[in-house]
């Protein structure tokens, strides 16, 4: 199951606060520490707001420059991909011209592959190819990964912290800043010390991108937009991918009516999933619990064996259905948690989150 999808889903739905609020990473030549007290420490401070402002300024400059170029014709989408794992951003500006060029390339490629091995997966019409790649990030020439030195500085620190967190994972978290080290840092040159909000490592790059996309709406008006233009934030594979993107993130910046116009399959998936939700909402609490937890188990590998991925949702949507059942399901959640085996630790984590949110 996607524990991360439940975890980030709870955050985006306002069910929890970002982890690490009021705490900071302090980076110096001697190492990295965690603290909730910056007294006496001087250095460059990267807040969530500071990183957001830098990303906004970079995207605004890139979009304005593109709008003044010959490429600014029939732009149908603007996408910011936020990669929390690797500490990167990508910006896509897709045009209908690029879509047709890319479609032609893949049409030729599939024809050659089919002629070689007669694999039916390569037997696709031009329209099937066009629809499959239209919103597939990575297939277009206008992919921007250079946001300038100003933004690269906090992202470098973010990646440095990530690397340290991965190395410390087996032994525990990063050390807490003690009194002795604090006194040492007070003697350091402030230019050699950097400070970052700890909460930025709780899906922070995605949260920042969502805020930036909202702020960019007036800037995007410079583009030669198609009637079905949309702008949204993308989750990369490994962090939720298309399931998180189209079930959750895109809905933060694209009105539902526009989303359904551009992606009618999303409306169909919503209606079918909502029908199931209503069907089970009137069932006894135990039946609701058993049904939705079974769907989460089946969705371990994101296959259509579960209604979750079948209708383009994430495990958080099943989690929300369990939460909507109310306190009456608490005994069943607790019983399942008490009897769960170690191999289902992901499911146990979800049960603990559910008990917390039901209180």
């Amino acid at each position: 199951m996607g524990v991360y999808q439940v975890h980030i889903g709870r955050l985006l739905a306002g069910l929890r606060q970002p982890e690490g609020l009021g705490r900071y990473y302090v980076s110096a030549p001697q190492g990295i520490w965690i603290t909730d007290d910056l007294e006496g420490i001087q250095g460059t401070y990267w807040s969530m707001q500071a990183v957001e402002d830098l990303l906004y300024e970079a995207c605004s400059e890139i979009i304005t420059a593109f709008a003044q170029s010959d490429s600014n014709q029939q732009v149908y989408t603007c996408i910011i991909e936020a990669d929390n794992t690797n500490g990167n951003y990508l910006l896509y500006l897709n045009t209908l011209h690029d879509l047709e060029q890319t479609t032609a390339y893949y049409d030729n490629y599939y024809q050659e592959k089919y002629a070689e091995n007669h694999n039916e997966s390569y037997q696709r019409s031009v329209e099937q190819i066009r629809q499959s790649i239209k919103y597939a990030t990575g297939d277009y020439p206008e992919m921007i990964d250079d946001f300038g030195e100003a933004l690269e500085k906090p992202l470098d620190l973010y990646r440095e912290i990530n690397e340290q967190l991965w190395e410390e994972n087996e032994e525990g978290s990063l050390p807490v800043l003690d009194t002795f080290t604090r006194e040492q840092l007070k003697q350091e040159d402030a230019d050699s010390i950097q400070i970052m909000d700890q909460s930025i490592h709780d899906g922070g790059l995605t949260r920042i991108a969502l805020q930036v996309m909202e702020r960019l709406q007036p800037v995007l008006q410079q583009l030669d937009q198609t009637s079905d233009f949309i702008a949204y934030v993308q989750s990369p594979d490994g962090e939720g991918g298309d399931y998180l993107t189209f079930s959750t993130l895109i809905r933060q910046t694209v009105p539902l009516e526009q989303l359904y116009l551009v992606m009618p399959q999303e409306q169909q998936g919503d209606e079918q999933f909502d029908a199931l939700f209503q069907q089970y909402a009137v069932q006894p609490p135990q039946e609701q619990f058993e049904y939705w937890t079974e769907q989460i188990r089946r969705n371990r590998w994101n296959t259509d064996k579960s209604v979750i991925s079948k209708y383009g949702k994430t495990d958080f949507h099943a989690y929300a259905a369990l939460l909507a059942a109310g306190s009456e399901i608490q005994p069943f959640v607790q019983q399942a948690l008490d009897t769960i085996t170690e191999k289902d630790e992901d499911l146990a984590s979800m049960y603990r989150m559910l008990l917390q949110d039901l209180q």
Side-chain angles (χ1 to χ4, degrees), residues 213-275:
M213 191 60 85
E214 288 287 356
R215 292 173 61 182
L216 284 172
Q217 295 306 309
V219 181
L220 292 170
Q221 295 303 314
Q222 301 176 80
L223 298 174
D224 178 35
Q225 299 180 5
T226 60
S227 60
D228 60 352
F229 174 85
I230 55 174
Y232 60 94
V233 173
Q234 168 84 17
S235 173
D237 291 340
E239 293 183 19
D242 287 349
Y243 290 102
L244 181 60
T245 298
F246 297 115
S247 73
T248 305
L249 299 182
I250 197 171
R251 297 157 193 264
Q252 304 281 317
T253 58
V254 179
L256 207 56
E257 181 179 353
Q258 184 75 353
L259 177 62
Y260 288 165
L261 173 67
V262 175
M263 301 178 184
Q265 71 274 15
E266 291 299 319
Q267 180 174 8
Q268 182 181 17
D270 284 356
E271 291 173 350
Q272 292 171 324
F273 192 84
D274 288 345

Side-chain angles (χ1 to χ4, degrees), residues 11-300:
L11 178 62
L12 295 173
L15 294 175
R16 67 175 181 87
Q17 291 295 310
E19 294 179 352
L21 276 180
R23 293 175 67 83
Y24 312 92
Y25 295 113
V26 177
S27 173
Q30 301 95 320
I32 301 176
W33 299 266
I34 296 174
T35 185
D36 57 7
D37 180 10
L38 295 175
E39 188 274 326
I41 301 177
Q42 300 295 319
T44 303
Y45 173 41
W46 300 111
S47 66
M48 289 276 290
Q49 187 63 55
V51 180
E52 177 187 321
D53 290 343
L54 289 174
L55 179 62
Y56 168 77
E57 290 165 9
C59 289
S60 181
E61 290 178 5
I62 292 168
I63 292 168
T64 298
F66 180 88
Q68 296 170 355
S69 73
D70 293 339
S71 298
N72 183 27
Q73 298 180 37
Q74 295 183 298
V75 184
Y76 69 87
T77 192
C78 172
I79 305 168
I80 299 176
E81 181 171 285
D83 187 342
N84 295 277
T85 302
N86 297 300
N88 293 318
Y89 283 114
L90 293 172
L91 178 67
Y92 295 87
L93 292 164
N94 295 349
T95 69
L96 291 181
H97 175 267
D98 290 340
L99 175 62
E100 293 309 315
Q101 292 289 104
T102 308
T103 299
Y105 167 81
Y106 278 104
D107 180 38
N108 183 63
Y109 173 78
Y110 288 147
Q111 288 186 44
E112 290 179 354
K113 284 294 183 180
Y114 184 73
E116 287 176 9
N117 54 33
H118 296 286
N119 188 321
E120 292 298 324
S121 64
Y122 294 112
Q123 187 78 308
R124 303 188 191 183
S125 68
V126 171
E127 184 58 28
Q128 286 175 323
I129 295 171
R130 182 183 294 109
Q131 291 305 316
S132 68
I133 67 171
K134 189 172 184 179
Y135 298 100
T137 51
D139 286 326
Y140 298 95
E142 295 298 338
M143 181 192 78
I144 298 95
D145 59 3
D146 184 359
F147 293 85
E149 291 183 8
L151 180 60
E152 197 60 27
K153 290 179 180 178
L155 290 181
D156 279 343
L157 176 59
Y158 180 98
R159 289 188 284 265
E160 179 188 352
I161 294 169
N162 256 9
E163 185 176 344
Q164 290 296 314
L165 289 171
W166 291 332
E167 291 179 0
E168 296 287 337
N169 189 44
E170 295 183 0
E171 301 176 8
S173 61
L174 292 173
V176 175
L177 185 64
D178 56 32
T179 303
F180 176 76
T181 307
R182 183 184 298 273
E183 291 302 316
Q184 284 188 314
L185 294 182
K186 288 181 181 179
Q187 309 306 314
E188 289 283 342
D189 184 344
D191 290 341
S192 69
I193 297 174
Q194 295 190 81
I195 304 161
M196 178 170 278
D197 288 345
Q198 185 180 353
S199 62
I200 199 173
H201 276 76
D202 184 7
L205 298 192
T206 296
R207 291 185 284 126
I208 287 169
L210 288 169
Q211 290 294 112
V212 167
M213 191 60 85
E214 288 287 356
R215 292 173 61 182
L216 284 172
Q217 295 306 309
V219 181
L220 292 170
Q221 295 303 314
Q222 301 176 80
L223 298 174
D224 178 35
Q225 299 180 5
T226 60
S227 60
D228 60 352
F229 174 85
I230 55 174
Y232 60 94
V233 173
Q234 168 84 17
S235 173
D237 291 340
E239 293 183 19
D242 287 349
Y243 290 102
L244 181 60
T245 298
F246 297 115
S247 73
T248 305
L249 299 182
I250 197 171
R251 297 157 193 264
Q252 304 281 317
T253 58
V254 179
L256 207 56
E257 181 179 353
Q258 184 75 353
L259 177 62
Y260 288 165
L261 173 67
V262 175
M263 301 178 184
Q265 71 274 15
E266 291 299 319
Q267 180 174 8
Q268 182 181 17
D270 284 356
E271 291 173 350
Q272 292 171 324
F273 192 84
D274 288 345
L276 273 175
F277 177 88
Q278 297 299 331
Q279 176 185 339
Y280 280 91
V282 297
Q283 301 303 317
Q286 183 174 3
E287 188 170 339
Q288 293 186 55
F289 175 76
E290 291 175 350
Y291 177 77
W292 290 113
T293 53
E294 177 60 21
Q295 296 308 310
I296 290 171
R297 286 193 188 92
R298 291 184 182 183
N299 198 46
R300 190 178 299 268

Side-chain angles (χ1 to χ4, degrees), residues 286 289-290 293-294 297 322 329-342 344-352 354-355:
Q286 183 174 3
F289 175 76
E290 291 175 350
T293 53
E294 177 60 21
R297 286 193 188 92
L322 289 168
I329 71 163
Q330 279 184 280
F332 307 109
V333 179
Q334 188 62 60
Q335 181 181 10
L337 182 59
D338 291 342
T339 59
I340 204 163
T341 62
E342 290 184 2
D344 281 325
E345 180 54 35
D346 284 353
L347 199 55
S349 296
M350 191 272 289
Y351 288 151
R352 286 190 285 268
L354 188 57
L355 288 173

